[in-house]
């Protein structure tokens, strides 16, 4: 008997449990994972489902997939499914959740892991997996066209993520010192410009900064593996996500990093109905970026000093999300 934790439409964990095979109630959701493993040659590890499998029998699929069982978080589910189906240890440190697909009864977290694995090291789960092999993007596209591969509607986004030089790695409290130093470097020009000693991120204490890791998610932004910035997001209220702060080091400006990160965050949170952020009114470049990304200025304004006013932006329309598999 397989049991699942039940979540609501905003991905809030409820106190209810669902037994697999039973009909789910309207408004109930569970967590699913799809794990895509890519080697250094850009090939994907794929598996063929057994002919007796319910749903897409005998068809090719990603490296491993399945539902999170009771007590699993998404990362644990990804590691467990790969171990069960392929008999190998997933190097999750080389992976990231690149986006999430919201479907009628759940949230499907898509994981991308860059890991070299020898086919002879696989120990296939006979009940689930008929065979496995490495395949190129072109080969997978041909297999989809020929009806041999499950026709996921997110392939374009998957391949775009694989080819991207930008990755988001979830930060932990152990990264606090490094990320606070980064924040101070990013905001120092604004601190000097406005002489804002009270609210500037430059003057933030380690104690207050560390509290962020208890509220929301903090990501390190990596460009080809090099730390280029950071971003912190949290749920302000059900359905409303707040882009609390995004930091891009000056030497990485004009590379489109902020735009891609903002798009990725929307893709990772399809449960959000809207996003909001605050910025300085006179920082026209930032305002232009947010408006370009679809944010609209609200009526909220907070005067910090005579030459410094914080305004709020909201994005409710044209959110980047994938709503079915």
């Amino acid at each position: 008997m397989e049991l699942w934790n039940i979540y609501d439409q905003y991905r809030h964990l409820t106190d209810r449990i669902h037994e697999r095979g039973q009909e789910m109630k309207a408004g109930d959701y569970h967590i699913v994972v799809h794990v895509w493993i890519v080697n250094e040659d850009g090939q994907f590890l794929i598996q063929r489902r057994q002919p007796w499998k319910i749903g897409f029998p005998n068809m090719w699929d990603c490296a491993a997939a399945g539902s999170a069982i009771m007590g699993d978080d998404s990362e644990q589910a990804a590691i467990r499914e790969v171990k069960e189906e392929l008999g190998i240890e997933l190097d999750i440190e080389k992976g990231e959740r690149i986006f999430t697909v919201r479907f009628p009864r759940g949230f499907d977290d898509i994981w991308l892991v860059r890991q070299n694995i020898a086919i002879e090291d696989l120990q296939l789960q006979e009940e689930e997996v008929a065979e496995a092999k490495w395949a190129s993007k072109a080969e997978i596209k041909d297999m989809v066209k020929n009806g041999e591969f499950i026709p996921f509607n997110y392939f374009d986004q998957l391949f775009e993520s694989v080819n991207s030089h930008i990755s988001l790695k979830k930060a932990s409290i152990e990264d606090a010192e490094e990320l606070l130093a980064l924040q101070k470097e990013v905001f120092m020009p604004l601190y000097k410009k406005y002489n804002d000693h009270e609210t500037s991120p430059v003057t933030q204490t380690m104690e207050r900064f560390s509290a962020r890791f208890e509220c929301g998610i903090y990501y390190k932004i990596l460009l080809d593996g090099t730390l280029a910035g950071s971003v912190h997001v949290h749920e302000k209220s059900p359905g409303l996500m707040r882009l609390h702060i995004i930091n891009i080091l000056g030497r990485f400006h004009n590379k489109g990093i902020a735009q891609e990160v903002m798009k990725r965050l929307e893709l990772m949170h399809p449960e959000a109905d809207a996003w909001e952020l605050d910025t300085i009114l006179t920082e026209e470049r930032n305002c232009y970026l947010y408006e370009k990304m679809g944010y609209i200025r609200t009526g909220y304004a907070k005067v910090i000093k005579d030459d410094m006013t914080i305004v709020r932006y909201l994005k409710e329309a044209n959110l980047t999300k994938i709503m079915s598999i």
Side-chain angles (χ1 to χ4, degrees), residues 3-4 10 23-24 37 54 68 103 124 152 202 204 208 213 248 257 272 279 300 313:
L3 301 178
W4 301 339
Y10 299 116
E23 184 176 353
M24 293 188 70
I37 300 175
I54 298 175
F103 61 99
L124 304 183
F152 298 116
V202 170
Q204 192 168 50
R208 186 176 175 189
F213 295 90
I248 307 295
I257 296 176
T279 194
Y300 174 89
Y313 279 87

PDB file of all heavy atoms in Angstrom, residues 3-4 10 23-24 37 54 68 103 124 152 202 204 208 213 248 257 272 279 300 313:
ATOM      1  N   LEU A   3       1.159   5.331   0.291  1.00  0.00           N
ATOM      2  CA  LEU A   3       0.438   6.478   0.827  1.00  0.00           C
ATOM      3  C   LEU A   3       1.105   7.781   0.392  1.00  0.00           C
ATOM      4  O   LEU A   3       2.330   7.881   0.365  1.00  0.00           O
ATOM      5  CB  LEU A   3       0.383   6.395   2.356  1.00  0.00           C
ATOM      6  CG  LEU A   3      -0.289   5.160   2.952  1.00  0.00           C
ATOM      7  CD1 LEU A   3      -0.216   5.208   4.473  1.00  0.00           C
ATOM      8  CD2 LEU A   3      -1.748   5.053   2.479  1.00  0.00           C
ATOM      9  N   TRP A   4       0.286   8.783   0.097  1.00  0.00           N
ATOM     10  CA  TRP A   4       0.782  10.092  -0.328  1.00  0.00           C
ATOM     11  C   TRP A   4       0.306  11.170   0.640  1.00  0.00           C
ATOM     12  O   TRP A   4      -0.813  11.116   1.148  1.00  0.00           O
ATOM     13  CB  TRP A   4       0.243  10.461  -1.714  1.00  0.00           C
ATOM     14  CG  TRP A   4       0.557   9.528  -2.827  1.00  0.00           C
ATOM     15  CD1 TRP A   4       1.569   8.612  -2.885  1.00  0.00           C
ATOM     16  CD2 TRP A   4      -0.166   9.390  -4.066  1.00  0.00           C
ATOM     17  NE1 TRP A   4       1.537   7.931  -4.079  1.00  0.00           N
ATOM     18  CE2 TRP A   4       0.480   8.390  -4.825  1.00  0.00           C
ATOM     19  CE3 TRP A   4      -1.277  10.034  -4.611  1.00  0.00           C
ATOM     20  CZ2 TRP A   4       0.044   8.026  -6.092  1.00  0.00           C
ATOM     21  CZ3 TRP A   4      -1.720   9.673  -5.868  1.00  0.00           C
ATOM     22  CH2 TRP A   4      -1.055   8.676  -6.602  1.00  0.00           C
ATOM     23  N   TYR A  10      -2.361  25.581  -3.265  1.00  0.00           N
ATOM     24  CA  TYR A  10      -1.215  26.469  -3.089  1.00  0.00           C
ATOM     25  C   TYR A  10       0.021  25.712  -2.605  1.00  0.00           C
ATOM     26  O   TYR A  10       0.976  26.302  -2.145  1.00  0.00           O
ATOM     27  CB  TYR A  10      -1.566  27.593  -2.120  1.00  0.00           C
ATOM     28  CG  TYR A  10      -2.720  28.446  -2.621  1.00  0.00           C
ATOM     29  CD1 TYR A  10      -3.926  28.493  -1.924  1.00  0.00           C
ATOM     30  CD2 TYR A  10      -2.614  29.180  -3.802  1.00  0.00           C
ATOM     31  CE1 TYR A  10      -4.982  29.261  -2.391  1.00  0.00           C
ATOM     32  CE2 TYR A  10      -3.663  29.942  -4.275  1.00  0.00           C
ATOM     33  CZ  TYR A  10      -4.841  29.980  -3.562  1.00  0.00           C
ATOM     34  OH  TYR A  10      -5.896  30.739  -4.025  1.00  0.00           O
ATOM     35  N   GLU A  23      -9.667   7.128  -5.703  1.00  0.00           N
ATOM     36  CA  GLU A  23      -9.941   8.375  -6.417  1.00  0.00           C
ATOM     37  C   GLU A  23      -9.636   9.566  -5.514  1.00  0.00           C
ATOM     38  O   GLU A  23     -10.056   9.610  -4.353  1.00  0.00           O
ATOM     39  CB  GLU A  23     -11.403   8.417  -6.862  1.00  0.00           C
ATOM     40  CG  GLU A  23     -11.740   9.636  -7.694  1.00  0.00           C
ATOM     41  CD  GLU A  23     -13.173   9.607  -8.215  1.00  0.00           C
ATOM     42  OE1 GLU A  23     -13.839   8.562  -8.026  1.00  0.00           O
ATOM     43  OE2 GLU A  23     -13.616  10.617  -8.798  1.00  0.00           O
ATOM     44  N   MET A  24      -8.900  10.527  -6.063  1.00  0.00           N
ATOM     45  CA  MET A  24      -8.570  11.713  -5.275  1.00  0.00           C
ATOM     46  C   MET A  24      -9.741  12.686  -5.284  1.00  0.00           C
ATOM     47  O   MET A  24     -10.489  12.787  -6.259  1.00  0.00           O
ATOM     48  CB  MET A  24      -7.319  12.407  -5.844  1.00  0.00           C
ATOM     49  CG  MET A  24      -6.050  11.593  -5.688  1.00  0.00           C
ATOM     50  SD  MET A  24      -4.561  12.533  -6.156  1.00  0.00           S
ATOM     51  CE  MET A  24      -4.478  13.713  -4.796  1.00  0.00           C
ATOM     52  N   ILE A  37      18.484  12.892 -16.248  1.00  0.00           N
ATOM     53  CA  ILE A  37      19.924  12.824 -16.007  1.00  0.00           C
ATOM     54  C   ILE A  37      20.639  13.077 -17.328  1.00  0.00           C
ATOM     55  O   ILE A  37      20.337  12.430 -18.341  1.00  0.00           O
ATOM     56  CB  ILE A  37      20.322  11.462 -15.422  1.00  0.00           C
ATOM     57  CG1 ILE A  37      19.598  11.235 -14.083  1.00  0.00           C
ATOM     58  CG2 ILE A  37      21.830  11.363 -15.241  1.00  0.00           C
ATOM     59  CD1 ILE A  37      19.836   9.855 -13.477  1.00  0.00           C
ATOM     60  N   ILE A  54       0.744   0.408 -16.380  1.00  0.00           N
ATOM     61  CA  ILE A  54      -0.462   1.190 -16.641  1.00  0.00           C
ATOM     62  C   ILE A  54      -0.039   2.611 -16.992  1.00  0.00           C
ATOM     63  O   ILE A  54       0.669   3.262 -16.225  1.00  0.00           O
ATOM     64  CB  ILE A  54      -1.390   1.194 -15.413  1.00  0.00           C
ATOM     65  CG1 ILE A  54      -1.847  -0.235 -15.094  1.00  0.00           C
ATOM     66  CG2 ILE A  54      -2.590   2.107 -15.647  1.00  0.00           C
ATOM     67  CD1 ILE A  54      -2.678  -0.332 -13.829  1.00  0.00           C
ATOM     68  N   ALA A  68       5.831  11.159  -4.826  1.00  0.00           N
ATOM     69  CA  ALA A  68       6.436  11.257  -3.499  1.00  0.00           C
ATOM     70  C   ALA A  68       5.552  10.496  -2.522  1.00  0.00           C
ATOM     71  O   ALA A  68       4.331  10.674  -2.507  1.00  0.00           O
ATOM     72  CB  ALA A  68       6.562  12.715  -3.085  1.00  0.00           C
ATOM     73  N   PHE A 103      -0.614  19.890 -12.667  1.00  0.00           N
ATOM     74  CA  PHE A 103      -1.628  19.135 -13.410  1.00  0.00           C
ATOM     75  C   PHE A 103      -2.850  18.967 -12.518  1.00  0.00           C
ATOM     76  O   PHE A 103      -2.821  19.364 -11.341  1.00  0.00           O
ATOM     77  CB  PHE A 103      -1.062  17.798 -13.917  1.00  0.00           C
ATOM     78  CG  PHE A 103      -0.591  16.847 -12.846  1.00  0.00           C
ATOM     79  CD1 PHE A 103      -1.399  15.805 -12.423  1.00  0.00           C
ATOM     80  CD2 PHE A 103       0.672  16.985 -12.275  1.00  0.00           C
ATOM     81  CE1 PHE A 103      -0.970  14.917 -11.446  1.00  0.00           C
ATOM     82  CE2 PHE A 103       1.113  16.091 -11.295  1.00  0.00           C
ATOM     83  CZ  PHE A 103       0.291  15.069 -10.880  1.00  0.00           C
ATOM     84  N   LEU A 124      18.322  -2.465 -13.051  1.00  0.00           N
ATOM     85  CA  LEU A 124      16.961  -2.076 -13.404  1.00  0.00           C
ATOM     86  C   LEU A 124      15.921  -2.816 -12.566  1.00  0.00           C
ATOM     87  O   LEU A 124      16.044  -4.020 -12.305  1.00  0.00           O
ATOM     88  CB  LEU A 124      16.714  -2.341 -14.891  1.00  0.00           C
ATOM     89  CG  LEU A 124      17.696  -1.679 -15.872  1.00  0.00           C
ATOM     90  CD1 LEU A 124      17.285  -1.971 -17.312  1.00  0.00           C
ATOM     91  CD2 LEU A 124      17.786  -0.178 -15.644  1.00  0.00           C
ATOM     92  N   PHE A 152       5.769  14.478 -23.633  1.00  0.00           N
ATOM     93  CA  PHE A 152       5.630  15.539 -22.637  1.00  0.00           C
ATOM     94  C   PHE A 152       5.541  16.901 -23.332  1.00  0.00           C
ATOM     95  O   PHE A 152       6.249  17.149 -24.311  1.00  0.00           O
ATOM     96  CB  PHE A 152       6.823  15.534 -21.680  1.00  0.00           C
ATOM     97  CG  PHE A 152       6.974  14.271 -20.889  1.00  0.00           C
ATOM     98  CD1 PHE A 152       8.089  13.456 -21.051  1.00  0.00           C
ATOM     99  CD2 PHE A 152       6.002  13.887 -19.983  1.00  0.00           C
ATOM    100  CE1 PHE A 152       8.233  12.296 -20.321  1.00  0.00           C
ATOM    101  CE2 PHE A 152       6.135  12.716 -19.241  1.00  0.00           C
ATOM    102  CZ  PHE A 152       7.251  11.915 -19.417  1.00  0.00           C
ATOM    103  N   VAL A 202      22.892  46.965   2.796  1.00  0.00           N
ATOM    104  CA  VAL A 202      24.304  47.033   3.163  1.00  0.00           C
ATOM    105  C   VAL A 202      24.484  47.003   4.678  1.00  0.00           C
ATOM    106  O   VAL A 202      25.460  46.461   5.193  1.00  0.00           O
ATOM    107  CB  VAL A 202      24.952  48.308   2.563  1.00  0.00           C
ATOM    108  CG1 VAL A 202      26.354  48.537   3.134  1.00  0.00           C
ATOM    109  CG2 VAL A 202      25.020  48.194   1.045  1.00  0.00           C
ATOM    110  N   GLN A 204      22.492  45.548   6.877  1.00  0.00           N
ATOM    111  CA  GLN A 204      21.771  44.449   7.512  1.00  0.00           C
ATOM    112  C   GLN A 204      22.707  43.590   8.363  1.00  0.00           C
ATOM    113  O   GLN A 204      23.829  43.284   7.962  1.00  0.00           O
ATOM    114  CB  GLN A 204      21.110  43.581   6.443  1.00  0.00           C
ATOM    115  CG  GLN A 204      20.104  42.586   6.975  1.00  0.00           C
ATOM    116  CD  GLN A 204      19.292  41.971   5.855  1.00  0.00           C
ATOM    117  OE1 GLN A 204      19.836  41.504   4.866  1.00  0.00           O
ATOM    118  NE2 GLN A 204      17.977  41.978   6.010  1.00  0.00           N
ATOM    119  N   ARG A 208      19.706  39.264  11.301  1.00  0.00           N
ATOM    120  CA  ARG A 208      18.506  39.532  10.507  1.00  0.00           C
ATOM    121  C   ARG A 208      18.577  38.852   9.142  1.00  0.00           C
ATOM    122  O   ARG A 208      17.587  38.316   8.665  1.00  0.00           O
ATOM    123  CB  ARG A 208      18.345  41.040  10.322  1.00  0.00           C
ATOM    124  CG  ARG A 208      17.056  41.426   9.628  1.00  0.00           C
ATOM    125  CD  ARG A 208      16.896  42.927   9.546  1.00  0.00           C
ATOM    126  NE  ARG A 208      15.717  43.301   8.774  1.00  0.00           N
ATOM    127  CZ  ARG A 208      15.438  44.541   8.409  1.00  0.00           C
ATOM    128  NH1 ARG A 208      16.239  45.541   8.772  1.00  0.00           N
ATOM    129  NH2 ARG A 208      14.354  44.799   7.710  1.00  0.00           N
ATOM    130  N   PHE A 213      16.450  32.423   5.865  1.00  0.00           N
ATOM    131  CA  PHE A 213      16.483  30.996   5.574  1.00  0.00           C
ATOM    132  C   PHE A 213      15.358  30.248   6.290  1.00  0.00           C
ATOM    133  O   PHE A 213      15.133  29.070   6.033  1.00  0.00           O
ATOM    134  CB  PHE A 213      17.848  30.422   5.965  1.00  0.00           C
ATOM    135  CG  PHE A 213      18.974  30.969   5.134  1.00  0.00           C
ATOM    136  CD1 PHE A 213      19.648  32.116   5.519  1.00  0.00           C
ATOM    137  CD2 PHE A 213      19.338  30.364   3.946  1.00  0.00           C
ATOM    138  CE1 PHE A 213      20.678  32.642   4.751  1.00  0.00           C
ATOM    139  CE2 PHE A 213      20.361  30.870   3.162  1.00  0.00           C
ATOM    140  CZ  PHE A 213      21.034  32.017   3.566  1.00  0.00           C
ATOM    141  N   ILE A 248      22.496  40.767  -8.374  1.00  0.00           N
ATOM    142  CA  ILE A 248      23.381  40.343  -9.454  1.00  0.00           C
ATOM    143  C   ILE A 248      24.660  41.170  -9.350  1.00  0.00           C
ATOM    144  O   ILE A 248      24.597  42.406  -9.392  1.00  0.00           O
ATOM    145  CB  ILE A 248      22.747  40.544 -10.851  1.00  0.00           C
ATOM    146  CG1 ILE A 248      21.362  39.884 -10.936  1.00  0.00           C
ATOM    147  CG2 ILE A 248      23.683  39.994 -11.930  1.00  0.00           C
ATOM    148  CD1 ILE A 248      21.368  38.389 -10.821  1.00  0.00           C
ATOM    149  N   ILE A 257      20.688  37.770 -17.001  1.00  0.00           N
ATOM    150  CA  ILE A 257      20.557  36.832 -15.886  1.00  0.00           C
ATOM    151  C   ILE A 257      19.276  37.082 -15.099  1.00  0.00           C
ATOM    152  O   ILE A 257      18.522  36.146 -14.806  1.00  0.00           O
ATOM    153  CB  ILE A 257      21.783  36.915 -14.957  1.00  0.00           C
ATOM    154  CG1 ILE A 257      23.032  36.465 -15.707  1.00  0.00           C
ATOM    155  CG2 ILE A 257      21.568  36.062 -13.711  1.00  0.00           C
ATOM    156  CD1 ILE A 257      24.316  36.601 -14.911  1.00  0.00           C
ATOM    157  N   ALA A 272       1.392  29.889  -7.773  1.00  0.00           N
ATOM    158  CA  ALA A 272       1.238  31.327  -7.559  1.00  0.00           C
ATOM    159  C   ALA A 272       0.274  31.935  -8.576  1.00  0.00           C
ATOM    160  O   ALA A 272       0.381  31.686  -9.778  1.00  0.00           O
ATOM    161  CB  ALA A 272       2.593  32.026  -7.655  1.00  0.00           C
ATOM    162  N   THR A 279      10.830  48.216  -5.317  1.00  0.00           N
ATOM    163  CA  THR A 279      12.061  48.772  -5.855  1.00  0.00           C
ATOM    164  C   THR A 279      12.088  50.279  -5.622  1.00  0.00           C
ATOM    165  O   THR A 279      11.082  50.870  -5.202  1.00  0.00           O
ATOM    166  CB  THR A 279      12.211  48.445  -7.357  1.00  0.00           C
ATOM    167  OG1 THR A 279      13.545  48.713  -7.776  1.00  0.00           O
ATOM    168  CG2 THR A 279      11.230  49.254  -8.201  1.00  0.00           C
ATOM    169  N   TYR A 300       1.045  51.578  -4.117  1.00  0.00           N
ATOM    170  CA  TYR A 300       1.843  51.601  -2.885  1.00  0.00           C
ATOM    171  C   TYR A 300       3.121  52.401  -3.087  1.00  0.00           C
ATOM    172  O   TYR A 300       3.849  52.208  -4.073  1.00  0.00           O
ATOM    173  CB  TYR A 300       2.190  50.182  -2.466  1.00  0.00           C
ATOM    174  CG  TYR A 300       3.134  50.097  -1.283  1.00  0.00           C
ATOM    175  CD1 TYR A 300       2.647  50.078   0.020  1.00  0.00           C
ATOM    176  CD2 TYR A 300       4.518  50.034  -1.478  1.00  0.00           C
ATOM    177  CE1 TYR A 300       3.512  49.996   1.111  1.00  0.00           C
ATOM    178  CE2 TYR A 300       5.389  49.955  -0.401  1.00  0.00           C
ATOM    179  CZ  TYR A 300       4.882  49.942   0.887  1.00  0.00           C
ATOM    180  OH  TYR A 300       5.742  49.866   1.956  1.00  0.00           O
ATOM    181  N   TYR A 313       5.483  46.737  -7.292  1.00  0.00           N
ATOM    182  CA  TYR A 313       5.036  46.216  -8.580  1.00  0.00           C
ATOM    183  C   TYR A 313       4.331  44.876  -8.367  1.00  0.00           C
ATOM    184  O   TYR A 313       4.687  44.111  -7.464  1.00  0.00           O
ATOM    185  CB  TYR A 313       6.222  46.012  -9.519  1.00  0.00           C
ATOM    186  CG  TYR A 313       6.690  47.269 -10.221  1.00  0.00           C
ATOM    187  CD1 TYR A 313       7.609  48.119  -9.631  1.00  0.00           C
ATOM    188  CD2 TYR A 313       6.211  47.597 -11.495  1.00  0.00           C
ATOM    189  CE1 TYR A 313       8.054  49.264 -10.275  1.00  0.00           C
ATOM    190  CE2 TYR A 313       6.641  48.735 -12.146  1.00  0.00           C
ATOM    191  CZ  TYR A 313       7.560  49.563 -11.539  1.00  0.00           C
ATOM    192  OH  TYR A 313       7.995  50.701 -12.189  1.00  0.00           O
TER     193      TYR A 313
END
